[in-house]
Amino acid sequence: MRKINTKAAAIDAAGRLFACPVCGANLYIGDTSLRCGNGHVYDLNKKGTVNFLNTPVKTEYDEEMLAARRRVLQAGFFTPFLEQMQAQLPEHARLLDIGCGEGTPTDMLAAKTDLAVGFDISAPAIKLAGALPGPAIFCVADLARLPFVENSFNVIADIFSPGAYAEFERVLAPGGRILKIIPNSGYLHELREALYAGTDKATYSNDRVKQHFLERYPDAQIQPITYDFACSPDLFADLMRMTPLSWQAPAAKREALLANPLPSIQVDVELLTVNV
């Protein structure tokens, strides 16, 4: 069966899931398109992904950057904290991955779910995500207006993405769970220190993001996760391509760092978990 048909069948089997971003009515599969009763139609492409945006949104995440990100993530850069997120998934999880990028984390989490959907505002990211062989469904969508019906998921994964918490709560079933990853001060600190020594960018604090989350969800559990990721020279070059941290660094410092790649990089994050 072609991928477009496989994904159409998966969407159909998921039942009440997608909502029309124009009128809010339920969307249902008809052949290989999502349709609502008011005549709005969203076609699946040949990879089985769907674009809910009327006009493309240009981002800095181009295909070269996204391909580099995939190579780094498939080499295991996020794997230890993704395993911790998997351990927090309930039985029969219906998962929504917020700002999924090129889809590798969604694909890994999907292995422990009944349904996994990833979305991103970047069409190039979703194009790459659609090439993954796993069962996850991918779409281009806007965080501020999620194209999903109320109570359609019981888990939201948010890895380094902004939190639109009112929308999260709308699409979560009662008692649903949010798993949010935020970076700590040690995250990629070797890059910060090498590229921005002597400037404000040499250090990082997650206090504002963390405080905002805890003000809304004071009962959230906080799990620190820290490890070193070994880098080959090629992986280090890909890491430099994938992280916005390096994009605005002085060219001379970027070139010097690429000429003398670091053997490992620290991943230092916190997993915030709450039932809402």
Side-chain angles (χ1 to χ4, degrees), residues 142-233:
D142 184 354
L143 175 65
R145 189 175 174 80
L146 297 177
F148 307 105
V149 299
E150 294 179 359
N151 305 332
S152 46
F153 299 94
N154 60 5
V155 185
I156 284 179
D158 177 350
I159 300 173
F160 302 152
S161 291
Y165 299 125
E167 275 291 88
F168 290 7
E169 292 163 12
R170 181 183 68 80
V171 302
L172 273 176
R177 183 169 296 177
I178 299 174
L179 304 173
K180 184 175 178 68
I181 293 285
I182 59 174
N184 276 333
S185 59
Y187 185 72
L188 305 184
H189 73 89
E190 300 92 342
L191 291 187
R192 291 183 181 277
E193 292 160 5
L195 296 173
Y196 298 106
T199 74
D200 291 344
K201 289 186 177 182
T203 59
Y204 171 79
S205 171
N206 69 13
D207 288 348
R208 182 180 59 82
V209 174
K210 183 176 178 179
Q211 187 61 32
H212 180 54
F213 189 88
L214 293 178
E215 284 173 359
R216 194 169 188 106
Y217 306 115
D219 295 330
Q221 296 181 344
I222 304 169
Q223 179 183 353
I225 304 169
T226 303
Y227 54 92
D228 290 327
F229 176 73
C231 295
S232 68

Side-chain angles (χ1 to χ4, degrees), residues 18 49-53 55-62 65-66 69 96-106 117-130 137-148 157-162:
F18 285 106
T49 70
V50 59
N51 191 331
F52 288 108
L53 300 185
T55 55
V57 174
K58 185 174 177 58
T59 73
E60 294 177 304
Y61 293 6
D62 59 25
M65 173 268 174
L66 291 162
R69 178 182 173 89
L96 176 63
D97 188 8
I98 301 292
C100 68
E102 50 71 47
T104 295
T106 322
V117 178
F119 83 88
D120 202 281
I121 203 168
S122 164
I126 296 303
K127 178 182 177 182
L128 196 56
I137 298 163
F138 292 102
C139 60
V140 183
D142 184 354
L143 175 65
R145 189 175 174 80
L146 297 177
F148 307 105
D158 177 350
I159 300 173
F160 302 152
S161 291

